[in-house]
Amino acid sequence: MDEREALSRIAASLPDAGDDAAVVGSTVITTDMLHDRTDFPAGTTRYTAGWRAVGASLSDVAAMGADATAAVAVYADVEFDPATFEAFIDGAVDVCESVGARYVGGDLDQHTEFTTATTAIGETDAPVRRSGARPGETVCVTGTLGRSAAALELFEAEERLERANELFRFPPRVEAGRTLTAHATAMMDSSDGLARSLHQLAAASDVGVEIDRPAVPIDPAVDDVTDTPEDRWRAGTRFGEDFELVCTIPETALETAIDRCPVDLTRIGSVVPADRGVSVDGDPLPDRGYTHGDERA
Amino acid sequence: MDEREALSRIAASLPDAGDDAAVVGSTVITTDMLHDRTDFPAGTTRYTAGWRAVGASLSDVAAMGADATAAVAVYADVEFDPATFEAFIDGAVDVCESVGARYVGGDLDQHTEFTTATTAIGETDAPVRRSGARPGETVCVTGTLGRSAAALELFEAEERLERANELFRFPPRVEAGRTLTAHATAMMDSSDGLARSLHQLAAASDVGVEIDRPAVPIDPAVDDVTDTPEDRWRAGTRFGEDFELVCTIPETALETAIDRCPVDLTRIGSVVPADRGVSVDGDPLPDRGYTHGDERA
């Protein structure tokens, strides 16, 4: 049983799990753990780690269409160093402030490797779940995909580390998420990669999805680190951890949604009946992506 | 810089940190990390681990006088085993249900040792902080102290493990905390031990505390595992992780508070001016206890 199967079992037994965040009254809550070995390649600053870890939870709040109100984090390290700890807190505070939320502290621990567990909460009276997509609607994505994949290439090559850190500090799409609640029928973030996200959304909504490959907005940073169109496509759609929003919007609402969304919103395909599966340019799109908790090989 | 100093620095820079939970509007939120090496002695079942880890966060919510609404947890293990995972979830669900909260899922991760990070949220319009105690008031504690110390002795002796697990599964004092909001001027939980908790409460309120040693309710389980009065006292007051509530209540409100509190509420001393420090039977009470994140030597 891998993480996805396990999460399915949790979802089956707990009515509130299985979306980007759990809904408790008008509050949404989500939690994540990230650690050195799997999530922070050598060269990642602690400021970036704080931003990215807390940002990942804020992204889940955004994916529910909620207003992010606060975040907390547990910070655990092998040895406690005040300077790196403060850099982490600075990153956590700054990413919260960037979306109008408050970083309100947390817990300290000692661990065998640098580990952080972050939790964010938000408020909404109308959470957007993964399950509301209907055939005939459009499939859209905010911003561009592949920033994290591009950053990882730079980290691994030990090149342009400042740029790599910048790419790793993604903007959580809280404002976009709030705007899209008025238009989107289903929404989630792309933290597992576009391909896997589309499969998850399709499964939750019991629909299929047809993607138009040329329409998928791949970040220009990906061009700098890939040589072939196939590498570029894979970096943009499979690597994940980009924390963009993937949503479905009725045709009639699309123009207004694009106008109002504070970041680029791109139509990348259409919702189709479930029996047509998830495809790109007519070929099946494999359900492959980043499984959180796996080590990057 | 140890954890306490680091937390002081966080508290100084973040207005919401430094209490048992952070207050965001009418919501309180708290997060903790526990792991195998430091928090779960050999013999602790995963059911007990789930109960205890989530219970620790619920206890922080209780210490604010809030109504616990929900909890989430990250579950990380060296190898994923469905049966132990489900036992953990069962414990998490059961401790939530015991206080009327909902366990709403979380995240899975892989780690170098079994690690869990739990977060609980609650609601209150009148949070009880650590800072409201005034000289002349009474100092009280719920329940009995030393259950966890007694459990640890059993775990270490590899004796009566079922009883040890039972002692480890403490009841979070959510209902008591809600009742005490009407009476208490300051409140916190005893997770760092009674001695350290009293020092923290005294410092936050800028007061001193005089404790009457015979009045401190030590759990009968401690008698089974200690030989001398000094060992008994140390187990009850220094070890901590008992998750009882320590609070201050004006003399005039004490009788009503005791009547209404759903668990035993015991007066153990009085609040005095700050220059008289923290003492027990006239002698200084050392600020010693359990520092979270330290390994148990």
Side-chain angles (χ1 to χ4, degrees), chain A residues 224-235:
Chain A
D224 297 346
V225 297
T226 56
D227 297 320
T228 67
E230 209 42 54
D231 283 351
R232 183 173 173 273
W233 174 249
R234 202 176 294 118

Side-chain angles (χ1 to χ4, degrees), chain B residues 4 15 25 31 43 53 98 114 129 137 145 187-188 193 196 217 229 234 241 270:
Chain B
R4 279 187 302 157
T31 192
S98 78
F114 168 55
R129 300 179 185 270
E137 295 172 346
L145 301 168
M187 190 154 65
M188 64 184 298
R196 179 151 286 170
R234 204 176 292 117
E241 299 209 296
S270 303

